[in-house]
Structure formats: structure tokens, C-alpha cells
């Protein structure tokens, strides 16, 4: 008889990740703003069809950079949805969930706010970030659907334990950019509550109902739903059958 497989490893609380979260969140908003300045400024692509292609190409480059930084720091991230999905998918327990919700995510928000303040101080003409161009409920549906599609792919790749860093990052970066382009005219295609809050804070509309619904509530719910769907679909067949049998026996 073959030995029983070891129990799945659970996520642990790693306090040092808070510093990495803050730093990466600040760097993320700065790099994103600098790319736009570069494309529409020195490179002179403003208003030309090639501008979007250049932005996508540069964004793929810095997505690889941030993916490497996330690995080098042991799991720090610039996006609250990433750490939330990881906490839920890892089944780390209440302590991990609370640490993520009340320590890591606030650190990311603070980092993003500091990053926006820094980039606006250094480059006053950087702009004011993406804005909602439709009604709140329409925007929430668009941002939620975009987030759900990105989370589905990201969590699936993680569960499949793809070993190739290049292929994993290439797939996620192309997919994220595709979804971003499709939703950019509606909500900005941000899919990052920390970045959205930071730019909204700079504009002074970070406490409005529209902002909270579109850039916080919708993507957070979409993330939880996406993780649940992937977890259910990737469960081994035997475990699914056991759960069905248990539910039937309880009803009886």
C-alpha cells in the first residue's frame, strides 16, 4: 500500500511581507504613471494608434519585473486582490484571513497613496488616474467581471503549479492586458482597489458610493467567487463525490 499523501501546506503569517506590500504598491502606481508619461511624452505616440501597442509592450515588461519582485520578497504584492485570493485559496484559517484583510491590504493602500503623491509631486502633469465613465451599477458589473476573469486564470495557474516562471508570467500578463483594454473605456480596467483608491484620494472622491461599489465591493466579491469556482472545478473527482454523498446523507 502506498503511503498517504502529506496534508496540504497552509499559509503562514509572515509579518515582513507588510513592508514588501507597501513598497511594491507604491512602485506599481509610479511605474504605471511613468509608462503613460513616456508613451505620450518623449516617445511622442500621443493620439496615434501605436500608443496602445507600446503601452501594452512596456506593461508586459514591468509585469515581469514585478512578478520577479514578488517571488524575491517571498510573496509580497501590490494588489489587494492577489493577497486575498492567495489567503482564501490556501485555506490558511481565520488568522491568515484577518492578517490579510487588516494588515496587508491597508499597507498596500498606504503604499499606493504614497506612490501617487510622490509621482504627482515629481511630475505635476501626470494626470488624475482612470475615472468611471458609466453608471455605478454598470461599472461594478464591468469591474467585477474583469476581476473574475483575471482571478480565474491566475488561481488556476497557481493550482496547476506551473514551474516555468516565463510561461506563467507571460500568460497572466497577456490576459491581464487583454481584460484591461476591454474594460478601460468603462472603469479604467484597474482591477486593483489600492491603486484605484490612491488616485481617487488624490482627486478627493475616494469616499463616494460609486468608488466603493465599483472599485472595492465588486472586485472583492468577484475575487472570492473566482477562487471558489476554480477550487470547485479543480477538486479531485473522489472528493467531489464524497461531498455529494455527505450532503445527501445529511438531508436524509
Amino acid at each position: 500500500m502506498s503511503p498517504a499523501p502529506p496534508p496540504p501546506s497552509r499559509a503562514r503569517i509572515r509579518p515582513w511581507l507588510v513592508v514588501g506590500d507597501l513598497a511594491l504598491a507604491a512602485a506599481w502606481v509610479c511605474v504605471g504613471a511613468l509608462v503613460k508619461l513616456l508613451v505620450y511624452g518623449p516617445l511622442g505616440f500621443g493620439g496615434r494608434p501605436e500608443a496602445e501597442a507600446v503601452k501594452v509592450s512596456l506593461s508586459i515588461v514591468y509585469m515581469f519585473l514585478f512578478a520577479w519582485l514578488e517571488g524575491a520578497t517571498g510573496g509580497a504584492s501590490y494588489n489587494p486582490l492577489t493577497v486575498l485570493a492567495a489567503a482564501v485559496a490556501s485555506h490558511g484559517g481565520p488568522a491568515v484571513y484577518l492578517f490579510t484583510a487588516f494588515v496587508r491590504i491597508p499597507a498596500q493602500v498606504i503604499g499606493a497613496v504614497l506612490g501617487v503623491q510622490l509621482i504627482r509631486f515629481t511630475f505635476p502633469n501626470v494626470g488624475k488616474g482612470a475615472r468611471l465613465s458609466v453608471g455605478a451599477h454598470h461599472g461594478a458589473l464591468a469591474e467585477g467581471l474583469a476581476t473574475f476573469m483575471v482571478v480565474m486564470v491566475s488561481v488556476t495557474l497557481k493550482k496547476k503549479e506551473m514551474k516555468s516562471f516565463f510561461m506563467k508570467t507571460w500568460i497572466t500578463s497577456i490576459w491581464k492586458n487583454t481584460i484591461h483594454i476591454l474594460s478601460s473605456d468603462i472603469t479604467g480596467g484597474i482591477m486593483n482597489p489600492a491603486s484605484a483608491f490612491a488616485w481617487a484620494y488624490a482627486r478627493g472622491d475616494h469616499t463616494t458610493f460609486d468608488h466603493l461599489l465599483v472599485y472595492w465591493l465588486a472586485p472583492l466579491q468577484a475575487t472570492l467567487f473566482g477562487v471558489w469556482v476554480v477550487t470547485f472545478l479543480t477538486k479531485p473527482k473522489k472528493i467531489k463525490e464524497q461531498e455529494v454523498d455527505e450532503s445527501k446523507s445529511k438531508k436524509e
Side-chain angles (χ1 to χ4, degrees), residues 187-228:
T187 63
I190 300 175
M191 296 171 288
N192 184 332
S195 295
F197 179 89
W199 288 106
Y201 180 81
R203 296 190 303 265
D205 59 4
H206 56 290
T207 59
T208 62
F209 171 77
D210 290 3
H211 172 76
L212 296 175
L213 176 64
V214 174
Y215 298 107
W216 280 98
L217 185 59
L220 289 175
Q221 288 185 332
T223 298
L224 296 175
F225 184 58
V227 173
W228 179 84

Side-chain angles (χ1 to χ4, degrees), residues 1 15 23 29 34 60 64-65 70 108 113 154 156 170 191 206 212 216 226 244:
M1 182 182 293
V29 295
L34 287 174
I60 290 174
F64 268 89
L65 172 63
E70 288 177 343
Q108 292 170 327
V113 170
S154 299
T156 299
W170 175 257
M191 296 171 288
H206 56 290
L212 296 175
W216 280 98
V244 172

Side-chain angles (χ1 to χ4, degrees), residues 5-248:
S9 58
R10 293 195 170 193
R12 295 177 293 107
I13 294 177
R14 293 172 289 178
W16 61 87
L17 289 179
V18 176
V19 178
D21 291 333
L22 190 148
L24 287 185
W28 177 262
V29 295
C30 288
V31 172
L34 287 174
V35 166
K36 291 181 180 178
L37 284 175
L38 182 64
V39 171
Y40 294 111
L43 295 181
F45 286 103
R48 293 166 57 182
E50 307 93 275
E52 199 62 43
V54 175
K55 277 200 303 181
V56 169
S57 300
L58 292 175
S59 67
I60 290 174
V61 172
Y62 71 74
M63 280 182 176
F64 268 89
L65 172 63
F66 277 88
W68 178 82
L69 289 173
E70 288 177 343
T73 54
S77 177
Y78 54 87
N79 193 333
L81 304 180
T82 301
V83 296
L84 177 63
V88 174
S90 66
H91 304 289
V96 173
Y97 303 151
L98 293 174
F99 177 68
T100 300
F102 295 105
V103 181
R104 295 193 65 183
I105 291 178
Q108 292 170 327
V109 172
I110 293 171
V113 170
L114 293 176
V116 168
Q117 297 300 321
L118 175 62
I119 198 69
R120 292 189 72 198
F121 176 79
T122 308
F123 301 98
N125 62 333
V126 71
K128 297 184 178 181
R131 294 192 185 214
L132 182 66
S133 60
V134 296
H137 293 90
H138 185 185
L141 179 62
E143 192 74 2
L145 182 60
T147 301
F148 174 75
M149 296 174 73
V150 169
V151 168
M152 285 275 289
V153 172
S154 299
V155 176
T156 299
L157 290 175
K158 187 171 183 179
K159 283 186 172 291
K160 294 296 183 182
E161 297 182 352
M162 183 178 290
K163 295 182 179 180
S164 173
F165 169 79
F166 177 83
M167 285 303 300
K168 182 178 178 180
T169 308
W170 175 257
I171 292 171
T172 54
S173 61
I174 292 295
W175 184 240
K176 285 179 181 179
N177 274 290
T178 301
I179 301 301
H180 168 75
I181 292 172
L182 292 175
S183 58
S184 59
D185 290 337
I186 303 174
T187 63
I190 300 175
M191 296 171 288
N192 184 332
S195 295
F197 179 89
W199 288 106
Y201 180 81
R203 296 190 303 265
D205 59 4
H206 56 290
T207 59
T208 62
F209 171 77
D210 290 3
H211 172 76
L212 296 175
L213 176 64
V214 174
Y215 298 107
W216 280 98
L217 185 59
L220 289 175
Q221 288 185 332
T223 298
L224 296 175
F225 184 58
V227 173
W228 179 84
V229 170
V230 173
T231 302
F232 177 78
L233 294 177
T234 56
K235 275 184 181 178
K237 188 176 180 181
K238 289 184 178 180
I239 295 179
K240 288 183 181 179
E241 292 175 349
Q242 289 176 0
E243 291 180 349
V244 172
D245 293 338
E246 289 177 0
S247 63
K248 287 182 178 178

